[in-house]
Amino acid sequence: MSTETTETTETAETAETTKPTKTTETPANPRIVALSGHPRPGSRTSALAGNVADALAREVLPGGTVTTVDLAAFAPEILAPEHPAADAALATLAAARIAVIATPVYKAAYTGLLKAFLDLYPANGLLGVTAVPLVVSGGPAHALAGEIHLRPLLVELGATVPARSLVVTEAALAEPGPVIADWLVTAGPALARAAGVAGVADVEVPR
């Protein structure tokens, strides 16, 4: 049976998630993008994506800057003939060194909003991006949604996905730190290698 993860308690105290900024990546300022495909602005999915991106900036890509893209902020224009905010977000995501692509489980897969946005890319639109599929699930029953559905979509667009998807259940959303830390033990070095981080053998991850 298909299930839908519905976030019933949204917090107003999340990081600001508006249209993407236009920070230019430099060797000393690599970009990490946290993208949320939740259809509600300021969702817990968006906040979680930001938390994961912050952890990556600390543990995997030191000195990296985090840019947050909340698709809900410009959802109405994604299917419109002209979509300047979506175009800016597409460029921001494609320029990321590491991209966290977050979605709640919707009908055992990802949201239609996320799919509609990613469909705007041409073939290999995410070539060169190291991607992290991040899934918010109502429970363990959909723990493989990221691996079965979201990972193949990102790979089809040319992204490199070197680590397993990160799955966070709704029960863990209030305190996701331990789940993120456990995932980073194995995912951190793989992500660092894929992102071309110098001295990857010395990358330390939480244990």
Side-chain angles (χ1 to χ4, degrees):
M1 179 182 297
S2 295
T3 60
E4 176 179 348
T5 299
T6 303
E7 300 187 4
T8 55
T9 305
E10 303 296 340
T11 174
E13 298 179 355
T14 60
E16 183 179 358
T17 51
T18 56
K19 296 178 182 178
T21 60
K22 295 184 178 180
T23 303
T24 300
E25 177 174 327
T26 67
N29 182 38
R31 178 186 291 171
I32 301 171
V33 174
L35 182 141
S36 170
H38 196 288
R40 187 176 304 156
S43 67
R44 292 182 296 167
T45 296
S46 180
L48 177 65
N51 289 339
V52 174
D54 288 343
L56 292 172
R58 291 192 305 270
E59 309 293 346
V60 175
L61 205 60
T65 60
V66 174
T67 299
T68 300
V69 178
D70 192 340
L71 297 185
F74 49 88
E77 77 162 47
I78 288 178
L79 296 179
E82 301 293 332
H83 34 69
D87 288 341
L90 291 167
T92 295
L93 185 61
R97 182 80 63 87
I98 299 178
V100 179
I101 313 295
T103 179
V105 173
Y106 184 82
K107 298 188 183 299
Y110 39 72
T111 64
L113 176 61
L114 179 60
K115 180 62 164 59
F117 173 76
L118 293 177
D119 279 349
L120 295 176
Y121 278 114
N124 293 318
L126 292 179
L127 191 65
V129 176
T130 298
V132 174
L134 171 60
V135 173
V136 177
S137 171
H142 293 111
L144 291 177
E147 290 296 293
I148 295 173
H149 298 291
L150 186 51
R151 172 193 284 269
L153 175 60
L154 297 173
V155 171
E156 179 68 19
L157 289 171
T160 299
V161 187
R164 288 184 64 85
S165 303
L166 173 55
V167 180
V168 180
T169 63
E170 287 190 336
L173 279 176
E175 295 290 341
V179 178
I180 297 171
D182 286 347
W183 172 80
L184 274 173
V185 170
T186 54
L191 290 167
R193 283 192 294 271
V197 178
V200 65
D202 298 323
V203 171
E204 296 182 0
V205 294
R207 297 186 181 277

